[in-house]
Amino acid sequence: AAAGAAFEDYGFLDYILLVTRMYDSFAANLGWDAKVKPWLDLFLPDDAVEDFVSSVFPSLTPEDLGPTGFGLIFPMLRSTYGRPLLRLPDASGGPWVWLVSVLTDSAGSGPDPDFASRMSDRNYRLYQRAADVGGTRYPHGACPFTQADWQAHYGSMWPRLVAWKNRYDPKGILTPGPGIF
C-alpha cells in the first residue's frame, strides 16, 4: 500500500451509505454547503485504470483535494448500463468500467473564482489524460468543455443528440451553460 493511504473494509449497506454519511457530517459541522466544489468524475476502462490512478492520485496536492475532499474509485460492470447518451469507454477495454472521482472542495466558504478557475483547468487536464487512455467524462461537475469536446464526447451519438435537441428544445432554452450546442 502507498505510504499514507488508509484502507478499510465495509459491509455492503455501510459502503453504499458511506459517502452520504460523510457529506451529511460535513454539512452539519463544517459549513460544507458554502464551499466551492469543483468536482471531476471520469470513467476509465478496466485496462487503464491502474496506471491512470497510480499516476494521478499521488500528484494531487492538498489544494487539489481541500480539507474535506477525497478521491473515489468505483468498479462498475459495463453490462449494467445501456442508456445511449451515457458515454462509457470502449468495450475493448474490458467488462468493467471504473468511476474515478476527484472531489475537491475549497478551504474557505463562499465564492472563490481563482480557486474555481485553477481547479477547472486542472480537471480539464485530468480529463485529457483520461481521454488519452480511452476514458470518458461523467458529464457533471467542473470540467469546461468546448462544443468540439462535446461532439467528441458523444461521438456517433452526436447527430442523434442534435436532432433530439432541435426537436424537443427548438428555442434552445434548456442547458445553455455547458455550451453543448
Side-chain angles (χ1 to χ4, degrees):
F7 296 91
E8 296 182 41
D9 288 326
Y10 293 91
F12 179 75
L13 186 56
D14 288 333
Y15 176 72
I16 295 299
L17 295 175
L18 179 66
V19 173
T20 299
R21 289 179 177 152
M22 286 182 359
Y23 291 161
D24 290 346
S25 174
F26 294 164
N29 302 306
L30 301 173
W32 191 74
D33 289 337
K35 292 179 179 277
V36 177
K37 295 182 256 333
W39 289 3
L40 175 68
D41 293 287
L42 303 165
F43 290 118
L44 273 291
D46 194 39
D47 63 358
V49 68
E50 286 186 55
D51 287 343
F52 182 84
V53 169
S54 67
S55 69
V56 168
F57 278 32
S59 72
L60 297 175
T61 67
E63 182 183 54
D64 284 320
L65 291 177
T68 55
F70 47 93
L72 293 174
I73 306 167
F74 286 103
M76 300 181 302
L77 193 57
R78 170 190 306 287
S79 61
T80 61
Y81 296 90
R83 296 291 178 225
L85 294 178
L86 179 65
R87 310 312 290 165
L88 296 175
D90 187 85
S92 66
W96 293 90
V97 294
W98 295 78
L99 180 64
V100 176
S101 302
V102 179
L103 304 179
T104 303
D105 70 342
S106 60
S109 296
D112 188 341
D114 292 335
F115 173 77
S117 179
R118 283 193 310 279
M119 294 300 106
S120 293
D121 291 346
R122 181 233 30 214
N123 287 352
Y124 188 71
R125 288 191 305 274
L126 293 178
Y127 158 73
Q128 288 176 313
R129 288 175 65 180
D132 287 346
V133 296
T136 61
R137 176 182 172 200
Y138 183 54
H140 73 100
C143 185
F145 259 30
T146 65
Q147 187 178 30
D149 290 325
W150 285 113
Q151 189 169 352
H153 174 78
Y154 285 108
S156 64
M157 287 299 298
W158 180 253
R160 186 179 297 180
L161 180 63
V162 170
W164 288 338
K165 175 71 169 172
N166 290 335
R167 179 175 179 188
Y168 298 109
D169 186 23
K171 294 183 180 180
I173 60 172
L174 300 175
T175 62
I180 299 172
F181 302 97

